[in-house]
Amino acid sequence: MLKTIILAVILSYSIPVVLSGQQNLVPNPNFGERIKNDCDPNYFNYFIEDYTTHWSSRIGLGANYTQEECINEIYPSAPLAKKDSSYIYHFFHFDFDIPWLCCPRTYSQVRLKELLKPGINYYLEYYILPRRYYFPLSHLGIWFTDTLIFEGRKEPPYSDLLILEPHLEVDTLSGGPEWSRINHCFNIEEELDVMVVGVFRTNEFLMEQFPEYENYFVADMMYDAFYLIEVEDELE
């Protein structure tokens, strides 16, 4: 525990130096590499695997891709990307009054450039912008695994939620008009090379923390600029 705290403090003063000298283990971190370059009017309904490289959806509704020069043709007030001109978004929704619509969750996944290995310290940062929500967002997480899995129907009735203990988690994120930087220092216990992003807690768990969710909740969570690097125990 002490090592983690010291590392976090050192990183807080050294991040610009560290980031400039290490390979980012996340391919296409800003979602600028695209499979399609045309602005189809329905492009925002494409899942990320249909529109951009390396990333894909896992279970549920399917993570979506947004490219500014396309979406601004339809929604001029759409948020700008944190980096470059692209980002992905996750849809999180439950409404118990309509059981067959309940409760889509979006997960995205990417195979890293290298295996994450035990005994090595890693630093991860990314940016998130909550949109279209009514209450604070809870338990946004990152889970590492060894397998890319394409599963689940992406239309009602939705597949079972991916419920597990994520490796990294943000307890609560209050929304605002600006992108928020999320960062973690961590290590793992086995070799893993797939990163999965989403909300991994049960609806019951979330409602215990936020009773306001009980009847209706909806949010779009924008993600951009993932950066994952290996760091030393002590940094100069």
Side-chain angles (χ1 to χ4, degrees):
M1 177 62 71
L2 182 59
K3 178 187 292 186
T4 302
I5 294 174
I6 292 175
L7 180 64
V9 172
I10 294 174
L11 277 171
S12 68
Y13 291 94
S14 306
I15 285 172
V17 176
V18 175
L19 295 185
S20 64
Q22 291 285 340
Q23 175 189 212
N24 185 358
L25 299 182
V26 180
N28 197 11
N30 302 334
F31 311 103
E33 299 174 16
R34 300 193 296 276
I35 296 172
K36 298 182 179 181
N37 292 311
D38 61 311
C39 289
D40 185 320
N42 295 314
Y43 88 97
F44 52 85
N45 291 322
Y46 289 130
F47 302 123
I48 52 176
E49 59 264 34
D50 295 329
Y51 220 88
T52 192
T53 63
H54 299 289
W55 289 78
S56 57
S57 302
R58 173 170 175 160
I59 204 168
L61 189 64
N64 289 73
Y65 174 84
T66 296
Q67 209 274 328
E68 285 177 7
E69 65 187 54
C70 295
I71 198 170
N72 286 341
E73 293 183 3
I74 306 171
Y75 299 111
S77 62
L80 299 177
K82 179 63 181 179
K83 302 288 186 180
D84 297 335
S85 63
S86 306
Y87 53 88
I88 62 171
Y89 66 92
H90 290 183
F91 186 72
F92 177 30
H93 172 209
F94 54 86
D95 184 349
F96 294 107
D97 292 332
I98 312 176
W100 70 278
L101 282 176
C102 185
C103 304
R105 296 274 188 91
T106 301
Y107 302 92
S108 57
Q109 59 185 356
V110 62
R111 187 178 297 279
L112 303 174
K113 295 178 181 178
E114 296 180 2
L115 279 169
L116 301 182
K117 298 180 179 180
I120 295 178
N121 295 315
Y122 295 97
Y123 170 79
L124 171 68
E125 76 171 35
Y126 59 94
Y127 287 83
I128 189 167
L129 175 62
R131 302 279 291 186
R132 198 175 65 164
Y133 71 100
Y134 305 112
F135 308 107
L137 296 171
S138 176
H139 296 282
L140 309 171
I142 303 289
W143 176 52
F144 296 101
T145 181
D146 59 0
T147 308
L148 282 172
I149 295 180
F150 302 91
E151 63 186 356
R153 295 180 61 191
K154 295 170 183 175
E155 58 185 30
Y158 296 108
S159 305
D160 293 336
L161 306 181
L162 185 59
I163 302 299
L164 47 82
E165 290 282 346
H167 291 90
L168 308 172
E169 193 170 46
V170 179
D171 285 340
T172 304
L173 177 67
S174 297
E178 303 295 332
W179 289 86
S180 296
R181 189 181 75 177
I182 307 299
N183 53 64
H184 301 276
C185 299
F186 69 98
N187 50 55
I188 59 173
E189 298 180 353
E190 57 183 320
E191 292 187 347
L192 302 170
D193 67 344
V194 173
M195 182 174 70
V196 183
V197 181
V199 177
F200 300 91
R201 299 293 186 174
T202 66
N203 292 330
E204 290 74 18
F205 182 93
L206 297 175
M207 286 187 292
E208 287 178 4
Q209 181 169 1
F210 296 106
E212 304 96 320
Y213 288 7
E214 182 173 359
N215 295 320
Y216 181 75
F217 179 83
V218 61
D220 291 334
M221 295 172 286
M222 318 300 187
Y223 290 89
D224 198 4
F226 283 85
Y227 207 104
L228 174 57
I229 60 173
E230 176 183 336
V231 293
E232 300 176 359
D233 291 348
E234 296 182 2
L235 303 176
E236 296 181 0

